Amino acid sequence: MNGAQALIRTLAGCGVEACFSNPGTSEMHFVASLDAVPALRGVLCLFEGVATGAADGYGRMTGRPAATLLHLGPGLANGLANLHNARRARTPLLNVVGDHALSHKRFDAPLESDLDALARSVSGWVRRSLRSADVAPDAAAGVAAALGPPGGVATLILPADVSWSDGAEPAPPVPSRPPSVVPEPVIEQVRRATSAGACVILLGGAALRRPGLEAASRIAVASGARLLCETFPARLERGAGLPGLERLAYLTEFAQAQLAGTTQLILAGARAPVSFFAYPGLPSSLVPDGCQVHTLAAPGEDVCGALTDLAERVAPDARPQAQPAERPALPGGELTAEKAAAVIGALLPDGAIVSDEANTSGLWLPAATAGAPPHDWLTLTGGAIGQGLPVATGAAVACPDRHVLALEADGSAMYTISALWTHAREQLDITTVIFSNHRYAILDLELQRVGAAAGGAAARSLFDLSRPDLDFTALARGMGVPAARAADAGEFADELRRALAEPGPHLIEALVGQPG
Ligand SMILES: Cc1ncc(C[n+]2csc(CCOP(=O)(O)OP(=O)(O)O)c2C)c(N)n1
């Protein structure tokens, strides 16, 4: 058996079921081995940023790593921004990056680059297999490293000759580790903090799934502590019947207002809050002056277990506060981002997965969908735009029985628009809504906020997505995705209903802003 065959069998044996791929010459033996192992599904992505973002979406929804297959340094480099988002999300993910044959590297052939440096910039684990006999145990170690806990990006570099040489055999999975248990004295210290003043519990990571949310809600009911969710959660379970949760705001002043007066800040799977950017005259740390910070559970620790233990101490008889079922009324008239949010809230299907990259157009979405049937909300964890369509791809591969909604700002959608082709190729049940405001609207705001001189025509033209206007329906149809456009709220509701009723991918371009 050659290295590639042993690798693919090992990945399948370790529970890796999908490989989001954009291969080249150095990966041909890996590609050739896929037919023999149907348990590993190869999914072609036409840009590496789609492959890495899809693996992120897959890992967020399953808790297990998908693989990517990438072509040397340049292929990995094309995937870096979404690997950065995956790293911030602590998503388990294994990159397999083909490299030149070991004997070929000294010739500095055109695709030679500092692949290791690129890999290390996003990966918690990097290994280059040097013999075919090592590939399988290296892959099993890579899967284990990706799983953590906490989860993370692992990168296995696979030289072409190691891939094609015989002498390999599959390796068994490396047993996974459970998250470490939070020591009793820590829980006791945090228990005291819940009654020591104005207390906020900032929830993140695994605390944002139902068991963590319900335990946190019981603590809040009994102690009067307020709950907040980290600004950009990897995966937040929300909707009717779950405890509702406000997210810490993106804008520094709003986040400051949410935390004002807090004297005890408890971190449950979240990091101490910081401002997204520095602004003249505003602090970088969002922890109020004099506030004591307590870490109940750091990433990699059993945050749900710790919250449950704390709830038993603080709130043995309290019940979690469930969000009531309620949906907005369907609006009429000219479509706006606010009305689009109401339509989405009115029609969001039970068990939907929302990949949210709506940016400024998404302001109204949390309130409009709060009482919709239970769903998962996936957000832009690392701030590198171009994530939403790929993450939706991976979520749909992971959860074929659920509706996936990709809520996309037009500028962000363009980074990785070729994901639509994979939506069509794989017939994924994804409805993409493009919020067409024809601008990088947030940058209009940021221009003022950083105190730059008022932008003139040259400055503003860098935020303007008109001239020419983007025709998303044509782009979608050109990649095999049925598409429609809506300028009216009723029309948008009709199109959304139709898209959700029909299997397979759809795109609706929601005209929510004037061009230019
Ligand atoms: C990879 C990457 N490149 C550039 C940026 C800077 N950036 C932040 S928001 C933005 C434009 C967002 O425009 P759009 O997605 O249309 O959303 P809108 O602001 O209009 O709601 C840009 C370019 C970024 N965050 N990430």
Side-chain angles (χ1 to χ4, degrees):
M1 188 178 290
N2 67 30
Q5 291 160 341
L7 168 58
I8 289 185
R9 284 188 163 77
T10 301
L11 291 178
C14 291
V16 178
E17 292 173 344
C19 181
F20 298 97
S21 309
N22 191 274
T25 307
S26 36
E27 296 81 48
M28 285 299 131
H29 286 79
F30 185 104
V31 170
S33 308
L34 280 171
D35 282 293
V37 187
L40 184 64
R41 172 178 172 187
V43 178
L44 178 58
C45 301
L46 301 186
F47 175 66
E48 292 86 346
V50 176
T52 54
D56 184 9
Y58 183 97
R60 291 192 201 189
M61 291 312 301
T62 60
R64 287 181 286 112
T68 66
L69 181 65
L70 307 172
H71 186 53
L72 297 103
L76 175 60
N78 277 344
L80 280 186
N82 275 334
L83 289 172
H84 159 83
N85 288 323
R87 185 178 82 85
R88 287 288 177 187
R90 298 198 171 79
T91 303
L93 189 163
L94 179 69
N95 297 307
V96 177
V97 186
D99 195 8
H100 284 312
L102 294 168
S103 58
H104 194 61
K105 288 189 78 67
R106 59 194 282 271
F107 293 96
D108 193 29
L111 275 161
E112 184 64 35
S113 69
D114 194 349
L115 168 50
D116 299 67
L118 292 166
R120 268 194 295 273
S121 69
V122 287
S123 313
W125 181 99
V126 180
R127 191 176 291 177
R128 171 183 270 99
S129 294
L130 295 177
R131 302 181 314 161
S132 63
D134 295 339
V135 176
D138 286 348
V143 170
L147 281 167
V153 176
T155 299
L156 178 67
I157 302 174
L158 184 63
D161 53 343
V162 171
S163 193
W164 74 50
S165 297
D166 287 338
E169 58 182 78
V174 174
S176 57
R177 282 185 291 121
S180 31
V181 173
V182 173
E184 206 271 344
V186 174
I187 294 178
E188 200 38 42
Q189 185 212 335
V190 171
R191 185 192 65 75
R192 285 194 294 272
T194 58
S195 56
C199 179
V200 166
I201 305 176
L202 184 62
L203 302 165
L208 301 176
R209 312 286 295 282
R210 186 184 283 269
L213 292 170
E214 290 188 339
S217 177
R218 290 171 56 203
I219 297 163
V221 166
S223 70
R226 276 193 308 130
L227 302 181
L228 279 175
C229 169
E230 61 187 347
T231 310
F232 289 110
R235 177 179 175 188
L236 169 63
E237 281 189 42
R238 62 196 295 274
L242 282 137
L245 200 56
E246 201 180 297
R247 276 162 60 186
L248 190 67
Y250 163 77
L251 290 179
T252 310
E253 299 88 329
F254 292 180
Q256 279 181 308
Q258 284 171 301
L259 291 169
T262 305
T263 62
Q264 305 293 324
L265 178 62
I266 296 171
L267 304 175
R271 290 169 37 147
V274 297
S275 173
F276 213 78
F277 293 106
Y279 298 97
L282 288 178
S284 289
S285 169
L286 293 172
V287 178
D289 286 344
C291 173
Q292 282 188 306
V293 180
H294 311 266
T295 301
L296 174 65
E301 293 185 315
D302 181 9
V303 65
C304 289
L307 283 166
T308 306
D309 191 338
L310 185 59
E312 289 308 311
R313 289 160 198 248
V314 175
D317 304 318
R319 312 260 322 136
Q321 227 169 21
Q323 178 76 38
E326 58 193 354
R327 288 183 184 264
L330 280 171
E334 193 184 350
L335 191 59
T336 59
E338 186 173 6
K339 288 182 191 172
V343 171
I344 290 163
L347 302 181
L348 193 72
D350 195 1
I353 301 166
V354 177
S355 174
D356 174 11
E357 196 173 34
N359 301 349
T360 58
S361 298
L363 195 62
W364 297 270
L365 285 167
T369 54
H375 56 274
D376 283 290
W377 205 271
L378 316 182
T379 77
L380 187 56
T381 44
I385 59 176
Q387 176 199 263
L389 291 173
V391 159
T393 310
V397 169
C399 306
D401 302 330
R402 299 175 64 174
H403 284 283
V404 177
L405 263 83
L407 305 181
E408 281 292 313
D410 48 4
S412 295
M414 285 304 293
Y415 283 66
T416 42
I417 194 73
S418 70
L420 292 176
W421 182 88
T422 303
H423 296 181
R425 154 70 78 90
E426 300 292 327
Q427 278 303 294
L428 301 174
D429 207 359
I430 301 174
T431 297
T432 295
V433 175
I434 303 286
F435 290 90
S436 259
N437 64 6
H438 312 278
R439 293 198 70 73
Y440 283 165
I442 187 126
L443 298 187
D444 288 327
L445 181 68
E446 296 287 16
L447 187 71
Q448 299 160 22
R449 285 169 50 77
V450 295
R460 293 202 172 261
S461 79
L462 294 191
F463 310 155
D464 173 16
L465 303 184
S466 67
R467 299 181 292 120
D469 262 336
L470 290 157
D471 182 345
F472 281 94
T473 59
L475 287 165
R477 287 191 200 113
M479 286 184 270
V481 173
R485 182 175 284 148
D488 170 272
E491 219 176 6
F492 179 63
D494 291 344
E495 293 298 344
L496 186 56
R497 260 197 221 94
R498 192 199 332 269
L500 293 170
E502 286 175 10
H506 293 81
L507 179 141
I508 308 167
E509 182 174 358
L511 300 176
V512 295
Q514 293 308 309

